Structure formats: C-alpha cells, structure tokens
Amino acid sequence: MENEKLAKIIEAARLYYQLDYSQQDIAKKLDVSRPTVSRLLKQAKDLGVVEIKINNPVETGEILAEKLKSKFSLKEAFIAPVPEFDNDIVKKYLGEAAATYLYHVIKEGDIVATSWGTTMYEVAKNLKPKLINGAQIVQLNGGVSHSETKTYASEIIHLFGEAFNTPTFLLPLPAIVDHIVVKQAIEADRHIYKILEKGREANIAIFSVGIPGVDSVLLQAEYFSNSDRGLIQSKAVGEICSRFFDKNGQICIEGVNGRTIGIELDELAKKDKSILVAGGPKKIDAIYGALRGKYANILVTDDLTAKMLIELE
C-alpha cells in the first residue's frame, strides 16, 4: 500500500477515534466524500491500525468469579466492582452486593446466622424488606462490651429481623472469657445452649473476616494476656467469629480458641450456604487463609481483591 494512502487511513482513524471528529467533519478536513471516510475507517480496522476492545465489567466479574470458584472449590463467587481500593469504600459496595444476594436466596424456614462488625453492618443496612414465613435470625458468636470501634452486634441482628420480619436471637455474651471452665459453665445454661444450638442448626451463615492488627476490636478489648497477644500477632492472619487462624486456615492458638464462645469454624464449613463477605487491601491474607481453611463456600468480594487472591500461591 502506498504511504500516502496509509497516511490518510491513519489520519482518518486518529481524527475519528482519538479526537472524536464526526465522519462528515473528517470528510471536509481531508477533502474526500463521507463514504470514502467510512471506507478509510473500515480499512483502518482491517489493517490493524485500529483495534476495538470492549471492557465489559460484568463479563470481567464473571471470569474472576469462575477462577475463584475453581481455585477454592466454592459453590458461588460474586464480584463487586469498586471505584477505589479503600477499605471503607470496599465495605460499602460489598454490603450492597451481599444484601442483594441474601435477599434473593433466603426462603421460608431458613435459619440465618450472622456475625458482627462493620462489614456485616453494611450488609444489614442494605437489606431490602422481604416477608419470609418461618425464618429465624441468630447471632453466631459473643460480642465485645467495650471497644473504640463500634461492633453493631445488636443493630445487625435487629436490621436482619426487621428486613425479613423474623424472630431474632441475640447472644449477649463476651466473645472470649478468661477460663475454659467459665465458658463451659456459660454454655451449659439452657437458654444460652438453645441460642448456640440454633447457630449450629442454621443453614445459612453470613460473616466477614477480621485481622489481628492494631485496629482489631478483639485485641483492643483486653481479652488477652501479653503472651496471647504476641502469639496472635505472630501466627494469625485473620479471625472469623473471634477464632484466629493462620495462612493455611488452621486454628493457631488453641488456648484462646478454647475460651471463645460461639460457633466452631469447622461447623461453618458444613452450612448449605457459608457466605464470606470480605475485601480490601488489608484483608487479602485473611481471606486467603479463610478460603484455604474452607470455612466459606460462597464468597462476596471486590474485583481487585479477587485478582490478588487468584494470583496468590
């Protein structure tokens, strides 16, 4: 092809695709007819001068979801595109996505068990009302009575119950006690036992994952000795329902685990729907460990976290 003709094809493509000229304007500028411009643009694509690429966020999310399902043997994975990889922004978008999913899957007779924390509060705030007959809502684990960061334990249970017009069961206990005998005595109470048993019977569990950093609500709550705190920060990458695990998803501080009130993590794995709602730059290792431990069979996360989880070995 002559250089002059190729130059005209490139110029037509530049004006149309980069500078947003109309084909009529290009025809005037190049002193050719409008049909000639159309032919020049077609030739630009045929010659590879112009390549058309469509970035479909829905399609990209579906691809990421399939990769996550395959890598971690998940039943489902849902990817929420986020405009900014900031923890608070990620929580907002994940809350909306998880609330939408739960709205569609909850049905008559379901027992939904939930944990507490800021991510779960975003889920609870975004739940749309849906009248469900015979459903129940129960708290999965004990809470924290004093913390600089609000845990929203009672608010979450209330909002879930309000959205689905169902009875709720709050677990008004500390997450962790000082001695295992104290835990055994508390759990032997018939009222507490009934709530804990309902958590075990739940066919749907929805929860997030925490990290043992300086902002950890549990570490701020003074549940631990200096020795325990050191072990947690050196071995654990995350916690679910106040139970700490390592990068392989294994419970890593048995002494603390034995004093924790609430569902055991291996019981979470048995749920029909065990939904982990988590994402953001600080939680990558914690989410990875949780998935390695197979505590969740459904994941709701953001697109950037999904890509990093897929790449992690």
Side-chain angles (χ1 to χ4, degrees):
M1 179 177 290
E2 296 177 3
N3 288 342
E4 186 178 340
K5 186 173 182 180
L6 180 59
K8 187 168 285 189
I9 290 171
I10 294 171
E11 180 64 6
R14 188 181 71 83
L15 292 169
Y16 187 72
Y17 291 106
Q18 291 185 327
L19 300 180
D20 293 326
Y21 275 54
S22 69
Q23 291 192 21
Q24 188 61 45
D25 290 339
I26 295 170
K28 290 179 181 178
K29 188 172 181 64
L30 299 184
D31 194 24
V32 295
S33 66
R34 190 179 180 286
T36 299
V37 172
S38 181
R39 285 196 296 271
L40 290 173
L41 294 174
K42 183 180 184 304
Q43 286 178 298
K45 286 190 284 186
D46 292 343
L47 294 170
V49 171
V50 170
E51 293 181 353
I52 305 297
K53 180 182 179 183
I54 299 174
N55 292 312
N56 184 337
V58 174
E59 183 179 277
T60 301
E62 290 173 352
I63 292 169
L64 290 173
E66 287 303 318
K67 288 183 178 180
L68 285 171
K69 285 165 63 177
S70 176
K71 180 171 183 175
F72 296 106
S73 302
L74 297 169
K75 290 182 178 180
E76 297 286 353
F78 299 94
I79 312 300
V82 296
E84 187 177 341
F85 202 38
D86 170 83
N87 283 302
D88 290 336
I89 293 173
V90 168
K91 286 178 185 179
K92 176 181 181 294
Y93 280 82
L94 295 188
E96 293 172 356
T100 299
Y101 172 69
L102 192 59
Y103 176 88
H104 288 298
V105 299
I106 189 171
K107 62 186 187 303
E108 183 175 334
D110 281 343
I111 302 177
V112 180
T114 178
S115 64
W116 43 260
T118 51
T119 301
M120 291 311 305
Y121 186 52
E122 289 294 334
V123 177
K125 285 194 303 181
N126 283 284
L127 288 170
K128 295 178 181 178
K130 182 179 182 180
L131 180 61
I132 304 293
N133 294 322
Q136 301 173 74
I137 309 296
V138 61
Q139 187 176 327
L140 276 171
N141 58 311
V144 175
S145 57
H146 171 71
S147 170
E148 293 178 10
T149 304
K150 194 167 174 58
T151 64
Y152 301 102
S154 59
E155 291 95 332
I156 290 165
I157 293 294
H158 172 73
L159 288 170
F160 268 72
E162 191 176 58
F164 300 127
N165 194 32
T166 61
T168 59
F169 299 86
L170 190 66
L171 194 60
L173 297 168
I176 301 167
V177 294
D178 286 342
H179 303 285
I180 191 169
V181 290
V182 176
K183 173 191 169 179
Q184 291 168 342
I186 290 172
E187 292 185 345
D189 179 89
R190 63 190 178 93
H191 301 291
I192 300 302
Y193 179 83
K194 180 181 177 182
I195 296 172
L196 292 171
E197 188 63 20
K198 198 169 291 292
R200 286 187 282 267
E201 291 172 356
N203 59 312
I204 299 175
I206 183 164
F207 52 92
S208 191
V209 62
I211 52 175
V214 293
D215 297 328
S216 168
V217 170
L218 289 171
L219 294 183
Q220 289 175 3
E222 299 181 357
Y223 284 142
F224 310 109
S225 65
N226 289 335
S227 175
D228 285 340
R229 190 175 285 103
L231 282 172
I232 289 169
Q233 292 182 319
S234 64
K235 292 186 175 182
V237 298
E239 58 85 12
I240 292 174
C241 297
S242 309
R243 299 186 185 276
F244 293 91
F245 54 86
D246 63 21
K247 62 183 180 181
N248 295 312
Q250 301 299 308
I251 294 294
C252 55
I253 300 100
E254 285 294 346
V256 171
N257 195 59
R259 297 188 279 117
T260 302
I261 296 176
I263 196 164
E264 298 277 355
L265 296 191
D266 59 355
E267 292 174 339
L268 275 182
K270 300 173 186 176
K271 304 294 184 190
D272 178 45
K273 290 180 176 63
S274 184
I275 309 163
L276 173 58
V277 186
K282 294 182 178 180
K283 292 190 174 183
I284 302 296
D285 290 340
I287 299 168
Y288 188 80
L291 296 178
R292 286 287 301 273
K294 299 192 180 301
Y295 302 131
N297 52 39
I298 296 169
L299 175 65
V300 180
T301 193
D302 62 272
D303 48 351
L304 297 173
T305 297
K307 291 172 185 175
M308 295 174 77
L309 289 170
I310 290 165
E311 292 169 1
L312 274 176
E313 295 297 336

